[in-house]
């Protein structure tokens, strides 16, 4: 994320068949590049790129979605939101943050280049041919938001926790 992004900017995205179109109404809280083996399997690729954002800042512009309960590394499951026609995943919700925070799949945004990773996580299982940029934080596993997120995002998170005191 760059500091020059206007907070009033919005970012549209959608699935491959264009049945689902959605909009992030602001920039996200934080962008994860996750190198865990679960993300590798679920994407069929080497990592997943997720933009974390408050659920009420994601609007469905067109189409409808299906939510698929999917096993997760925590054992508590994640719910992956997909297009009912082409079944491309557009975002997911994890147990920890419940319904309050969506993990938007950055590759489904029309202009995904806006959102380079703010952090690389689970690099202990990173594919060996990937070289991480030296100026982006990286964690062998997970991390504490209080130590990594910018102040503005922590304030947004605090507002969210006030609204939803206990994660689902
Ligand atoms: Zn579709
Ligand atoms: Zn992962």
């Amino acid at each position: 994320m760059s500091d020059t992004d206007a907070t009033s900017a919005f970012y549209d995205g959608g699935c491959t068949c264009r049945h689902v179109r959605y909009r992030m109404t602001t920039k996200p809280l934080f962008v994860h590049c996750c190198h865990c083996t679960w993300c590798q399997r679920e994407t069929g690729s080497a990592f997943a790129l997720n933009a974390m954002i408050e659920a009420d800042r994601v609007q469905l512009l067109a189409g409808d979605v299906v939510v698929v309960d999917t096993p997760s590394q925590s054992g508590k499951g994640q719910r992956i939101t997909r297009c009912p026609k082409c079944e491309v995943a557009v975002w997911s919700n994890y147990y920890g943050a419940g319904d309050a925070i969506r993990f938007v799949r950055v590759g489904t945004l029309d202009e995904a280049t806006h959102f380079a990773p703010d952090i690389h996580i689970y690099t202990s299982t990173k594919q060996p041919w990937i070289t991480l940029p030296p100026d982006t934080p990286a964690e062998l596993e997970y991390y504490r938001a209080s130590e990594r997120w910018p102040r503005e995002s922590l304030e947004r998170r605090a507002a969210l926790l006030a609204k939803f005191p206990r994660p689902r």
Side-chain angles (χ1 to χ4, degrees):
M1 285 184 288
S2 113
D3 294 335
T4 56
D5 284 339
T7 49
S8 59
F10 56 79
Y11 307 94
D12 289 355
C15 67
T16 291
C17 79
R18 298 187 72 81
H19 174 71
V20 172
R21 296 292 297 163
Y22 70 85
R23 170 170 294 170
M24 297 198 313
T25 59
T26 68
K27 62 183 184 179
L29 294 158
F30 211 59
V31 178
H32 284 174
C33 186
C34 184
H35 299 263
C36 83
T37 56
W38 291 71
C39 285
Q40 292 182 24
R41 183 170 50 245
E42 286 159 24
T43 59
S45 184
F47 53 78
L49 205 48
N50 289 314
M52 303 171 71
I53 186 168
E54 297 92 326
D56 62 4
R57 296 184 185 210
V58 183
Q59 299 172 346
L60 196 59
L61 300 176
D64 61 326
V65 294
V66 292
V67 178
V68 181
D69 282 312
T70 308
S72 72
Q73 187 164 26
S74 73
K76 294 173 177 171
Q78 64 169 315
R79 286 171 307 125
I80 301 182
T81 297
R82 295 179 178 275
C83 169
K85 297 180 186 292
C86 70
E87 300 190 358
V88 162
V90 285
W91 61 76
S92 34
N93 293 79
Y94 287 90
Y95 178 86
D99 294 329
I101 293 183
R102 290 179 179 168
F103 288 63
V104 171
R105 305 248 173 150
V106 172
T108 67
L109 289 162
D110 296 343
E111 296 180 79
T113 50
H114 280 298
F115 303 112
D118 293 310
I119 194 167
H120 291 268
I121 58 174
Y122 292 100
T123 60
S124 57
T125 52
K126 176 181 80 59
Q127 291 294 324
W129 46 266
I130 293 178
T131 305
L132 298 180
D135 52 349
T136 303
E139 296 281 353
L140 288 173
E141 295 197 344
Y142 210 68
Y143 69 98
R144 299 176 80 87
S146 58
E147 293 168 4
R148 294 296 196 183
W149 286 20
R151 189 169 50 85
E152 186 196 336
S153 295
L154 287 171
E155 287 168 3
R156 282 165 61 180
R157 188 179 73 144
L160 205 58
L161 289 171
K163 250 195 291 186
F164 302 93
R166 304 290 303 176
R168 183 176 59 88

